[in-house]
Amino acid sequence: MKSRVFWSGLWTSALGFLALLLLGVPAVQAQVRPGDFITAENAEKVKNLVSPGVYYKVVNGMTMKIIPAGRIEWPPPYREATEKYSSQVRLSADHRSIVGYVAGQPFPLLDPNDPQVAQKLSWNMAFRPILTDDYDQRFYDCETVYTDKTHKGPPDIKEYFIVGHYAGYSLVGRNEVDPMPTDPDFKQTGRYWLMALYPVLAPAEIRGVGFIRYRYADPFRGDDSWAWIPGSRRIRRLNDATMTSSLAPGTSVHAWDPDHYSGFNAKIEEYNYKFLGEKEMLASDHAERSPEIACPTDGGASVCPEVWEMRHMYVLEAAPRLDRIHSPRDSKTVVFLDSEAWTVPYVDKYDWKGRLFNNVIYWMTYRDRPVPDAKVAIYPFKRQFEVGAVATDISSGLATPCYRPGVETPERETWYINMGAVEKEFFTTQALTKSAH
């Protein structure tokens, strides 16, 4: 039986339940209800409704306020592009790459019995509706702390970061900003998208650090990445394997790895995928705070209390192909994918001995502006914005929560999505070098 994802991305509860039966995945009776407040003391109530990594966070002090599930619709331009172009999209003969993609969601019709459903889910994740044309997240900050549910008072911050820009520009799949749906440059360069994170403004010892990254449509061509390293005062080309590292380029402190800046952002063709099933699980998709605050009950290792709701999720395992890339620590990443919003509420990473060692959580909101008092970034429809996120090393408890907008930064709107706010020239080594001086 075929389970249908409607053009809006909305699953009915009946189809979701039937799909669970077809897949042989036991349907979990919800152990929480709207109004419940989850703490370390009653964490067992959510053990089967979150990933093992999120459960670790709750056991160690992160709290949840349970609310009724809210609907999330795709931006109308993305929905229209899906209706127009998806019928021509298919997987390549080897099932690894994608053919005929223009814009919108590649595979809106999914059959859980399809042997290639995992690969199709991975491409839907790559071309999800949240960021399609361009984005510029300006002046956000992060704090590195140790998880400690016994800590009282302000967080004991080990390192404080401020980043000037986290930006991206897509050359294909454009829905809202000209040139649409494809930038003419794609024919010459074959680049799917450009990404940049620079300059790091604090701490002082790594001021100026930054990197840029290019993703190519050619399934056999790895990403091009470059970093500016203050110590050498020059641009250094990066190896693909460093994108999975939990060390920021040019630093020796715990931070985010680039493959998890936006959920799961590795090159699709460099991984093997396994569909683990569908499940009703908790996620934070209608966060209330902006800016977020450090969690007072886990040493500031997350943002809380914040609202969580039941969502229908796909569970997808991604393991690196050893003939393409060798991750120094990651043997697999388990991705939890919201079947309506197509965002990634959280991911768990496992080492080569099969042990959970890293978790990443994203807190999202859904509205027509990133912050209630926005003056520029205002849209004619609602869309999702990330308001907070945290990466946690499970083995040590070291966590780096990030705040969007930042706690101590001058920029309050933070997110400028599909507004033409960033040009392709921003993603060059020349611009990266200039910003560091």
Side-chain angles (χ1 to χ4, degrees):
M1 179 177 179
K2 183 173 289 187
S3 297
R4 172 178 291 269
V5 179
F6 292 102
W7 301 119
S8 66
L10 178 65
W11 278 81
T12 66
S13 58
L15 282 175
F17 180 76
L18 182 56
L20 289 172
L21 296 179
L22 288 171
L23 287 164
V25 178
V28 177
Q29 179 68 34
Q31 297 170 276
V32 296
R33 64 184 65 183
D36 285 353
F37 189 72
I38 306 301
T39 68
E41 284 66 37
N42 63 353
E44 191 72 20
K45 294 181 70 173
V46 301
K47 184 174 184 179
N48 294 323
L49 303 177
V50 296
S51 77
V54 176
Y55 182 64
Y56 164 90
K57 298 291 287 185
V58 179
V59 168
N60 285 278
M62 184 183 77
T63 60
M64 297 174 165
K65 296 191 297 182
I66 309 301
I67 63 169
R71 182 172 178 174
I72 297 175
E73 296 193 11
W74 295 347
Y78 182 87
R79 183 180 66 245
E80 292 162 7
T82 301
E83 294 170 349
K84 183 175 181 179
Y85 298 113
S86 62
S87 62
Q88 68 190 46
V89 184
R90 66 185 188 279
L91 293 175
S92 61
D94 64 1
H95 302 140
R96 293 200 177 274
S97 56
I98 196 170
V99 178
Y101 179 75
V102 177
Q105 188 176 75
F107 300 105
L109 301 179
L110 294 171
D111 182 349
N113 297 305
D114 181 353
Q116 306 306 324
V117 67
Q119 201 70 23
K120 291 177 180 179
L121 281 168
S122 72
W123 284 106
N124 282 357
M125 180 172 58
F127 292 108
R128 54 193 183 269
I130 186 171
L131 306 169
T132 56
D133 298 31
D134 59 73
Y135 60 91
D136 189 8
Q137 182 187 174
R138 301 175 183 174
F139 296 98
Y140 67 95
D141 52 16
C142 307
E143 300 170 348
T144 295
V145 301
Y146 277 101
T147 303
D148 183 1
K149 66 179 180 180
T150 67
H151 180 82
K152 306 298 182 183
D156 181 12
I157 299 172
K158 304 302 179 182
E159 197 76 86
Y160 175 70
F161 300 88
I162 301 178
V163 181
H165 297 268
Y166 168 48
Y169 183 97
S170 296
L171 286 85
V172 298
R174 301 176 63 84
N175 302 309
E176 300 177 46
V177 181
D178 285 328
M180 296 186 292
T182 305
D183 189 308
D185 183 49
F186 175 67
K187 291 184 178 180
Q188 281 72 47
T189 65
R191 298 181 299 189
Y192 267 151
W193 50 252
L194 321 172
M195 188 273 277
L197 185 146
Y198 74 81
V200 173
L201 302 174
E205 60 266 27
I206 60 170
R207 184 178 178 88
V209 160
F211 81 101
I212 56 177
R213 186 179 191 181
Y214 301 164
R215 173 67 50 80
Y216 293 92
D218 183 346
F220 300 101
R221 181 171 182 177
D223 292 351
D224 282 336
S225 304
W226 298 267
W228 170 264
I229 310 300
S232 61
R233 298 190 62 79
R234 64 184 179 86
I235 293 288
R236 186 181 73 184
R237 193 179 185 92
L238 301 176
N239 184 281
D240 255 4
T242 64
M243 297 296 101
T244 67
S245 172
S246 293
L247 298 178
T251 76
S252 59
V253 295
H254 172 85
W256 291 73
D257 65 87
D259 274 350
H260 293 85
Y261 283 169
S262 300
F264 182 73
N265 203 33
K267 187 172 177 67
I268 297 297
E269 298 92 338
E270 292 180 343
Y271 284 72
N272 293 318
Y273 300 90
K274 181 187 297 184
F275 182 40
L276 302 183
E278 305 172 59
K279 189 177 179 182
E280 301 298 321
M281 304 182 73
L282 288 166
S284 186
D285 271 354
H286 291 83
E288 295 177 333
R289 289 195 179 93
S290 187
E292 288 289 358
I293 62 171
C295 185
T297 52
D298 67 1
S302 65
V303 300
C304 83
E306 190 50 276
V307 297
W308 291 67
E309 63 193 81
M310 294 297 295
R311 309 291 302 174
H312 187 78
M313 298 226 212
Y314 296 113
V315 186
L316 187 67
E317 178 184 296
R321 291 177 56 191
L322 300 185
D323 61 326
R324 294 292 302 276
I325 184 173
H326 180 75
S327 172
R329 189 174 184 184
D330 303 20
S331 68
K332 66 180 181 181
T333 298
V334 180
V335 182
F336 298 83
L337 184 61
D338 189 303
S339 68
E340 182 180 63
W342 291 94
T343 49
V344 177
Y346 34 84
V347 299
D348 283 351
K349 298 166 65 179
Y350 292 81
D351 65 19
W352 289 100
K353 292 185 178 180
R355 298 172 300 194
L356 173 67
F357 78 90
N358 186 274
N359 164 262
V360 184
I361 302 173
Y362 303 88
W363 286 265
M364 311 297 296
T365 194
Y366 177 63
R367 52 195 178 205
D368 68 351
R369 61 199 69 194
V371 292
D373 58 346
K375 301 295 191 300
V376 177
I378 301 174
Y379 299 85
F381 45 78
K382 290 183 178 181
R383 68 188 324 140
Q384 284 206 293
F385 300 94
E386 180 188 319
V387 294
V390 62
T392 303
D393 186 320
I394 302 298
S395 59
S396 68
L398 196 64
T400 303
C402 296
Y403 304 89
R404 286 107 171 181
V407 178
E408 299 182 20
T409 57
E411 171 63 53
R412 306 319 300 162
E413 298 193 31
T414 302
W415 281 107
Y416 300 87
I417 297 174
N418 294 0
M419 299 185 71
V422 61
E423 302 290 339
K424 284 181 291 185
E425 290 71 23
F426 185 78
F427 305 90
T428 61
T429 54
Q430 293 86 349
L432 175 59
T433 303
K434 184 178 179 180
S435 76
H437 292 286

